[in-house]
Structure formats: C-alpha cells, structure tokens
Amino acid sequence: MIPANDGVSKRLWSLVLISIGIGVLIIHSAGSGHAGNIATEGSPDAAAPQVLNYVMMANLLNNVNAKDAVGAVKFHWSKHLKRAFPGFEPHFEILADLDAAAQRIRDNRLHGLIMDITQYLSIREQVNLKPVFFSSSSTRPLETYVLLVHRNTNWRRLSTQPSRRLMTEKMDQPNIGRMWLETVLRERQLPSGDTYFTQITPASKPARIILPVFFKQADACLVLESAYQTMQELNPQISHQLTVLARSPGFITSIGCATELISDQLIDRFIENSVYDSTENGRQLLLIFHVKKIFAFRPEYLSHTENVFRKYR
C-alpha cells in the first residue's frame, strides 16, 4: 500500500475509496448481465478487458495533483480488486465540467460519478443518478460545520460587527458549509458573507484555517467539526482558546452515485458486502484514507443538506 500524502485532503481520500467501491459495484453488475454495454462472461467480447467508466469532479481535489489522484485509484484497484475480478479495467477520470459529466450520463457512457453534494443537488433533476454511499471523517454519518472564534474576544454572537476576517476551506464554488453560513446570515437579516466579513481567506488544510484564529491573526473560521476535533487532540490548548459561535446541522458533504446502467438489486447486494470497518484489511484502508466510516445512502440523511441548498438558491 502507498502511504497517504500530506498534501492529499481527507475528502479526496475518502472519495477515492468511494470510487473504488463504485468500481466493485459495476463489476458485480457486469458479472450479472446488468451493466448496459459491458460484455458478460461467455460473450464474444468477454476475453477483452471490460472498461468501467467513472469520474471524480475536479473541485474535490483541493489542489491535489490530478495524476497523483488517478494513480492512487489505479494502485488500489490493482492491489485489491483486479485479482478478485480479472478481465475488467477501470477508466477513472477527473473532470472540471459538470455539464460534460452530465452529457456522458445521457449518452450512457458513464457508470459512476463522485462529486460534491451541492453538485449532486444541482444536477439530479437533469440526469438519472442513484446515490450509493458516502464517507464521513467522524463515526457519525453526517458532518457538521462550526464557526469558531477566540475565547478572548467580545464577539459572542453573529451581529453587525465591522472588520471581521474569516478563514475558510479553499473552494472553487460555495460548498454546503459556506451555503449554511450564508443562510444563517440571511435569516438574521445580516449582509451576505462577502460584505459581513471584510476579508475571507481560503486555506487548503484545517491547521491553516484554525490556527490563525488561535493566534488572533483572524477573527473566525468555518471548518468541519471533525477537523476541529482532530486539531484539539493534537493540541489541547486549542479547545481552551477557541469557542463555537455557531454550529450547523448534519450534512452529507460529498457523494458517490451510480448511473441507471446499474440495477437497484445489485446496488443493494454491493452495500450488504461493503462493510469496510469489519475486517482488518478494510480498517487499514480506512486508516490510510483518513476515513472513519462509510455509510450507505438513505434519503433521510439528505434532509438538512437539501433544506440549506434550497434556502441558498
């Protein structure tokens, strides 16, 4: 196995694991004759490697080198899946254009798609997608965001305050955490984030988001609570010096979906046999990918996420 690169975000590794899972799902489907154009055993084309097409959206990489991401997926495929399912070859690709991914789905050229949850919510009425499962960096299925401030500040609640510098995750477009913060500001009849905060500074790692608040170089930060908890474990002083000004409801932050080429029956069968934390090898994979647990998708998990997305729109 390859060690996790420090430059690779937790979200990337969790979604790499999801992509591998979707690959297994597609293989099960191919073996049962339910995968569209994929040849099944005994067909004239069965001797040729069968291509499994799945895509990760580029905005999930968070400045990680795309070649490194693709290489990691191929490595884990070759080590953990190829021997068990010979004759199949994944084609894993990173796309920046969500519309291009949607067109591939319409053309029946895509079997799996891994994306930010806001992308899924914006595209799900345009194409047929089946949410399969998602990962969490905590032991709970849903992730919460926290708005943190220093304890030695007089800022105790969101109100009209001038000169506030906010640290956030680096993102190409607002993620569900940023959307939640915008809806909170709107509900309290405050200006939008770009106006309410005099400066919004993105950073690629949790430490670079949280520590500026700890050292009073920034007024607040918006970060996943699981990342905040990890920082507290590394440096207990952080919990003594920082406090939560606001906490979001639980969200799904990213999701892996299968297209309509995959049957519901086979999705159910795959989920029943994909408990990664029940075996030593599975636990090792989760450890490498900085993932605590993988959960099968259920519609009720999406309620808070849908609500915030709808309000933001």
Side-chain angles (χ1 to χ4, degrees), residues 15-270:
L15 289 168
V16 165
L17 192 55
I18 287 177
S19 71
I20 292 171
I22 289 178
V24 177
L25 172 64
I26 295 168
I27 286 174
H28 278 296
S29 183
S32 303
H34 291 283
N37 296 327
I38 295 179
T40 58
E41 187 176 356
S43 71
D45 296 326
Q50 305 304 299
V51 178
L52 314 171
N53 296 300
Y54 54 109
V55 158
M56 175 187 287
M57 298 311 301
N59 64 319
L60 295 174
L61 294 181
N62 196 21
N63 291 328
V64 175
N65 183 278
K67 289 183 179 179
D68 291 344
V70 173
V73 171
K74 289 182 177 179
F75 178 87
H76 286 284
W77 181 282
S78 65
K79 288 294 182 181
H80 303 291
L81 298 177
K82 194 168 185 178
R83 292 177 184 176
F85 302 99
F88 296 94
E89 193 68 32
H91 181 259
F92 177 69
E93 188 176 350
I94 294 169
L95 285 182
D97 188 348
L98 186 62
D99 290 336
Q103 189 57 51
R104 292 190 191 188
I105 295 171
R106 296 186 193 98
D107 294 341
N108 290 327
R109 295 188 293 120
L110 197 61
H111 299 87
L113 180 59
I114 306 142
M115 68 202 107
D116 182 88
I117 192 63
T118 61
Q119 292 178 311
Y120 166 71
L121 292 173
S122 67
I123 200 178
R124 64 177 178 175
E125 295 181 0
Q126 305 171 28
V127 293
N128 291 321
L129 286 171
K130 303 172 185 178
V132 180
F133 55 104
F134 59 95
S135 65
S136 175
S137 56
S138 73
T139 55
R140 299 184 302 273
L142 302 181
E143 303 255 37
T144 55
Y145 280 85
V146 288
L147 183 66
L148 301 173
V149 298
H150 201 282
R151 287 185 183 274
N152 295 334
T153 180
N154 58 4
W155 195 14
R156 292 288 179 263
R157 61 188 178 86
L158 286 173
S159 59
T160 53
Q161 296 285 347
S163 301
R164 296 297 184 189
R165 180 188 174 198
L166 175 70
M167 301 294 301
T168 68
E169 294 177 75
K170 199 169 188 177
M171 61 189 84
D172 294 328
Q173 59 187 21
N175 62 15
I176 194 64
R178 182 65 188 276
M179 289 183 179
W180 163 73
L181 181 58
E182 292 292 340
T183 61
V184 170
L185 293 172
R186 188 181 304 164
E187 288 169 355
R188 300 188 186 189
Q189 298 182 332
L190 296 170
S192 67
D194 290 336
T195 302
Y196 180 76
F197 296 100
T198 55
Q199 183 179 353
I200 298 178
T201 304
S204 57
K205 295 182 179 181
R208 294 176 181 174
I209 299 171
I210 296 170
L211 289 180
V213 181
F214 179 78
F215 290 114
K216 298 185 178 180
Q217 298 167 345
D219 299 290
C221 66
L222 179 66
V223 69
L224 281 170
E225 189 164 18
S226 58
Y228 175 46
Q229 291 170 345
T230 299
M231 290 293 295
Q232 291 179 79
E233 293 170 3
L234 295 173
N235 183 355
Q237 285 298 315
I238 287 177
S239 62
H240 299 320
Q241 298 298 323
L242 302 185
T243 187
V244 176
L245 190 67
R247 178 180 280 105
S248 78
F251 300 132
I252 293 176
T253 58
S254 50
I255 196 165
C257 296
T259 68
E260 60 183 351
L261 297 178
I262 312 300
S263 72
D264 291 336
Q265 180 182 5
L266 291 167
I267 290 176
D268 292 340
R269 187 197 304 176
F270 169 73

